[in-house]
Amino acid sequence: MMRPGAFLDRDGTINVDTNHVSRPEDVRLIPGAAQAIRALNTAGVPVIVVTNQGGIARGYFTEADYARVRDRVRDLLAAEGAHLDAVYHCSHYPSVTGPCDCRKPGLRNYQRGAEAMQVDLAQSLYVGDRITDVLPAAAVGGLGVLVPAPHTAAEDIERARREHVVAPTLGDAVTLFLSRRASAAR
C-alpha cells in the first residue's frame, strides 16, 4: 500500500549549513527541526532525507566523514524523540564526475526512497532551502515547500513563491502538509 512521505533536505533544512558540513562536532540542529520531524513520525509519515554532498567528489571530505555527520544528525534527532526512516545522498559534482540522475533535482534518490518505504511520490512533501530541493515536487505532483535559510538565493525564493510554497520554518511546512492531508481525508 502506497502512502505519502516527507522528503527533506539535510544541510540548511534539518541542521545548520556550515558550507560542506564534514565534522560531526560542527553539527547543530536548526531550532524546531526535531519537533517537525517528530510530528511527521507521530503522523506515520516516513521521513526520507535526500541530500547533495558534492563536497565528496570535490575532495572536501570523504564518504567516511559524510557517514559520521549523518550519524550525528540521527543521534541529535533521537535525543529529541525524532527519527529519520531513510537517508540518501549524491556524492557527485557535475564538473568533476559528470552528470548523474541522483543529484537534486534529479529523481533517482527520491525514487529509491519511495520504493524502499512504499511511498507515493505524488502524495509526498518535498522541503529544502534551495529550489533544487523542491523542484522534484513539480516533476511528480507533490507539495514543494522552500524554507529559506540565510544563504538561500533571492531568485530561489521568488521562483518558489510562483511555483511552490514558501514557509518560514520546517515546522510550518510540516503543519501545512499534515493539515492538507487531514483535509483530503475528510
Side-chain angles (χ1 to χ4, degrees):
M1 180 162 173
M2 300 299 273
R3 57 191 170 160
F7 292 92
L8 309 180
D9 175 51
R10 190 188 78 182
D11 303 335
T13 302
I14 297 172
N15 57 277
V16 175
D17 187 347
T18 56
N19 195 18
H20 302 295
V21 182
S22 61
R23 297 169 8 133
E25 59 270 21
D26 293 339
V27 176
R28 294 182 326 271
L29 294 181
I30 292 173
Q35 294 82 357
I37 292 169
R38 190 171 57 237
L40 291 164
N41 298 153
T42 300
V45 176
V47 179
I48 303 161
V49 168
V50 176
T51 180
N52 285 343
Q53 295 296 320
I56 296 169
R58 294 191 281 178
Y60 299 154
F61 54 94
T62 66
E63 285 281 352
D65 295 330
Y66 162 78
R68 284 189 291 276
V69 169
R70 179 200 60 217
D71 293 346
R72 178 68 175 151
V73 170
R74 283 184 164 163
D75 291 347
L76 290 172
L77 290 170
E80 295 197 41
H83 70 272
L84 305 174
D85 294 288
V87 178
Y88 298 93
H89 76 285
C90 172
S91 60
H92 306 116
Y93 194 75
S95 65
V96 176
T97 58
C100 67
D101 60 355
C102 61
R103 185 171 177 81
K104 294 184 284 185
L107 296 177
R108 182 65 191 125
N109 281 333
Y110 296 95
Q111 293 163 336
R112 289 175 60 204
E115 184 178 319
M117 302 303 302
Q118 297 183 328
V119 163
D120 181 345
L121 292 171
Q123 294 182 49
S124 294
L125 172 66
Y126 302 79
V127 182
D129 60 323
R130 299 178 192 273
I131 197 69
T132 53
D133 300 322
V134 298
L135 287 177
V140 298
L143 173 63
V145 182
L146 182 79
V147 176
H151 59 266
T152 303
E155 53 270 14
D156 283 9
I157 297 168
E158 289 307 313
R159 183 171 179 187
R161 283 191 178 123
R162 287 191 313 271
E163 300 173 15
H164 302 280
V165 175
V166 176
T169 68
L170 177 57
D172 293 316
V174 167
T175 298
L176 173 65
F177 175 69
L178 294 176
S179 67
R180 285 188 179 187
R181 276 191 63 215
S183 294
R186 289 186 219 152

